[in-house]
Amino acid sequence: MPPSVPSLPRRVARMLRTSLFAQVACALVLGIVVGKLWPGFAADLQPLGDGFIRLIKTIISPLVFCVVVVGIAKAGDLKAFGRIGLKALIWFEVASTLALVIGLLAANVVQPGSGMNVDPSTLDASAVDAKTGGGHLPSTTEFALEAIPTSFIGAFAENSLLQVLVLACLVGAALLHLGHTKVPQVLPAIEQAQEIIFAIVGFVMRLAPIAVFGAMAVLIGNYGLGVIETYGKLIVLCYVAAALFIALLALALRAVTGLSLWKFLRYIREEMLLALGTASTESVLPRVMQKLRKAGARDDAVGLVLPTGYSFNLDGASLYLSIGTLFIAQAVGVDLSLGQQITVVLVLMLTSKGMAGIPGSAFLALSATASSLGAIPAGAVALLLGVDRIMDSMRVVTNLLGNCVAVFAVSRWEGALDRERARKVLNGEIEVDVEDGGSEKPEPTEPEVPEMAELEKSEVPGKAGPRKPDVPTAAASETG
């Protein structure tokens, strides 16, 4: 009798119960509906998204520390770790500069701000100060000094990823120097702590649909859908430019590693949807690190390249900054020369670094760029206040994919990538259950049928094999 097929409602219920992707997708749609119909109520849902981000941030620093320390100790080569860092920085600089150039070319061709004829004096410059909280971007010297921790505990308390990376490198180097014989208990303890943190990640991720629902409801409730009509040309340009850049990333990944970016995107679809819903790449950093490790990238490469990319490789932000700079210049009627546009690239190459974690960092970078040119009124940056939040989706997707491609590329460059395993994982030949600490699901196998030769061997004394049913003999019956 053929097995019964579950009804459609049961299949949907099972999918919603077991699939994080389905849960987050439903929460995303529900958040849009609630934000559109009840914007006043939606504004009160802000704590749902903020609380989830807080929970994730509490485990990012210890997770990065454990992964990097274990990666260095197991790799056994501190020089290789230094090469990975250097190659990562080279990749970051090339990728972010390419993003800036693509943004400038796209803005020159499409001219998203032309014809607006905005009077800068009518713009409220104080609104930008309120958005940025009166902060400022660190200078190059300040940025370098802030990467050096002043306290071991303080680096974790302040959740400074660069400082945590420095501490992890020092601890990993010390473990290599002392060897496993002098401190035999330290590395196993850190590995066990890493497993505990990944288990906590699994617990926290169960709240992801609630966080996405709250964040999306707040976005639609506060900004509505009308902003898309007002800034439609700019929004479409940014997303098309991002799609072009991602296509170039796909070509680069294929050329360097032979892997498919689209299959990788399917592999991290849950994390990508969560990052879109919460408008934060930090919310998925722990799970993405785990998935990259399970996809064949070595621990030390993942632990160094991905967190560092969160500060140095903001490709989506670079695209937005270059397009936004030309947009506000065109909107106020300022025609930037080729030399001034080259200056824009050079300034943004510096100001786009270290933006992570600074409130309103995009506006700080835009204001610094406008001031360096001397041709764009500083108040003109306020033109982007209404559309900035809509751009988060583009920035999040591009930043996340750019950093993941960097991990694969640098790993391949350094010989720290198991390409065969990566191919099997991305093709679905090896299924990884991240919720269960990254364990692999065994592939279904057909039951083995013993061959005739094995059955014959089983009759020979001393040979293992299936036994024939015992037939009672006369002797046996007598002794019985």
Side-chain angles (χ1 to χ4, degrees):
M1 182 176 179
S4 60
V5 179
S7 62
L8 179 61
R10 287 192 176 185
R11 292 202 301 269
V12 172
R14 183 176 182 276
M15 182 182 297
L16 289 176
R17 188 176 64 253
T18 59
S19 172
L20 179 63
F21 180 80
Q23 295 170 4
V24 172
C26 289
L28 194 70
V29 174
L30 187 59
I32 294 174
V33 173
V34 171
K36 180 64 177 176
L37 298 181
W38 301 286
F41 170 71
D44 298 330
L45 300 177
Q46 184 73 40
L48 296 180
D50 291 348
F52 177 79
I53 299 297
R54 281 173 174 261
L55 284 173
I56 289 291
K57 284 185 175 181
T58 59
I59 53 182
I60 286 179
S61 292
L63 175 62
V64 170
F65 177 82
C66 291
V67 171
V68 172
V69 171
V70 172
I72 294 177
K74 286 190 172 181
D77 187 358
L78 196 60
K79 292 182 179 179
F81 196 74
R83 290 196 305 269
I84 290 174
L86 178 60
K87 292 173 181 178
L89 291 177
I90 295 173
W91 180 277
F92 293 159
E93 195 59 45
V94 172
S96 57
T97 303
L98 178 63
L100 288 172
V101 172
I102 289 176
L104 282 180
L105 292 175
N108 276 293
V109 172
V110 179
Q111 300 279 323
S114 61
M116 294 184 69
N117 300 320
V118 175
D119 184 0
S121 61
T122 62
L123 299 174
D124 185 10
S126 62
V128 177
D129 294 332
K131 179 76 173 180
T132 58
H136 69 283
L137 291 177
S139 64
T140 304
T141 304
E142 291 173 338
F143 181 74
L145 287 176
E146 288 177 2
I148 302 174
T150 57
S151 164
F152 199 102
I153 303 300
F156 292 89
E158 297 173 4
N159 215 20
S160 174
L161 281 185
L162 291 180
Q163 293 184 9
V164 170
L165 279 172
V166 171
L167 290 174
C169 292
L170 292 174
V171 173
L175 285 176
L176 285 180
H177 177 70
L178 294 173
H180 300 308
T181 55
K182 291 186 178 181
V183 283
Q185 304 298 326
V186 175
L187 184 58
I190 295 177
E191 288 182 306
Q192 292 169 12
Q194 178 179 281
E195 293 303 318
I196 293 174
I197 295 170
F198 277 129
I200 296 174
V201 171
F203 298 152
V204 174
M205 290 304 295
R206 298 179 188 275
L207 303 175
I210 299 175
V212 169
F213 165 73
M216 189 54 59
V218 171
L219 170 63
I220 301 301
N222 287 345
Y223 296 96
L225 300 176
V227 68
I228 298 178
E229 299 177 3
T230 306
Y231 291 92
K233 193 174 182 181
L234 175 62
I235 294 172
V236 170
L237 175 62
C238 285
Y239 277 83
V240 170
L244 174 60
F245 181 79
I246 291 173
L248 293 177
L249 283 179
L251 293 175
L253 181 64
R254 175 72 73 178
V256 175
T257 67
L259 301 176
S260 168
L261 183 62
W262 315 121
K263 291 181 179 179
F264 176 74
L265 187 58
R266 183 181 61 189
Y267 174 58
I268 62 164
R269 60 186 181 276
E270 296 172 349
E271 292 73 25
M272 188 61 70
L273 194 59
L274 175 58
L276 282 171
T278 58
S280 170
T281 53
E282 287 185 338
S283 64
V284 297
L285 175 60
R287 277 178 62 104
V288 171
M289 287 182 70
Q290 195 171 8
K291 283 199 166 183
L292 286 169
R293 292 167 63 235
K294 297 303 175 183
R298 210 167 63 194
D299 285 6
D300 52 348
V302 174
L304 180 62
V305 178
L306 191 63
T308 307
Y310 272 52
S311 293
F312 287 93
N313 192 38
L314 304 175
D315 298 328
S318 298
L319 271 171
Y320 172 64
L321 289 174
S322 56
I323 294 176
T325 301
L326 262 67
F327 169 78
I328 59 177
Q330 294 162 3
V332 298
V334 175
D335 186 17
L336 296 180
S337 64
L338 177 61
Q340 288 174 317
Q341 293 192 33
I342 293 175
T343 302
V344 167
V345 173
L346 296 176
V347 172
L348 289 178
M349 284 174 62
L350 297 176
T351 56
S352 62
K353 303 296 186 292
M355 288 173 50
I358 301 177
S361 55
F363 292 97
L364 292 173
L366 287 170
S367 298
T369 306
S371 300
S372 65
L373 290 175
I376 305 174
V381 177
L383 280 171
L384 293 173
L385 283 171
V387 74
D388 182 70
R389 182 62 178 82
I390 304 296
M391 296 299 186
D392 278 342
S393 298
M394 179 273 293
R395 289 192 294 242
V396 162
V397 171
T398 312
N399 288 344
L400 185 57
L401 286 179
N403 285 320
C404 290
V405 170
V407 171
F408 279 125
V410 174
S411 298
R412 169 60 176 160
W413 197 358
E414 184 56 29
L417 176 65
D418 185 345
R419 284 201 297 171
E420 183 61 23
R421 177 179 176 82
R423 184 190 62 78
K424 289 183 177 180
V425 169
L426 298 189
N427 287 339
E429 298 175 26
I430 299 178
E431 294 185 23
V432 176
D433 186 3
V434 182
E435 298 295 336
D436 189 24
S439 60
E440 294 175 11
K441 297 179 181 178
E443 298 180 8
T445 56
E446 298 181 359
E448 295 183 1
V449 180
E451 297 180 359
M452 292 302 298
E454 295 178 351
L455 291 174
E456 293 173 359
K457 288 180 181 179
S458 66
E459 300 176 3
V460 181
K463 295 289 185 178
R467 296 179 57 201
K468 295 183 178 180
D470 293 333
V471 179
T473 61
S477 62
E478 290 174 1
T479 56

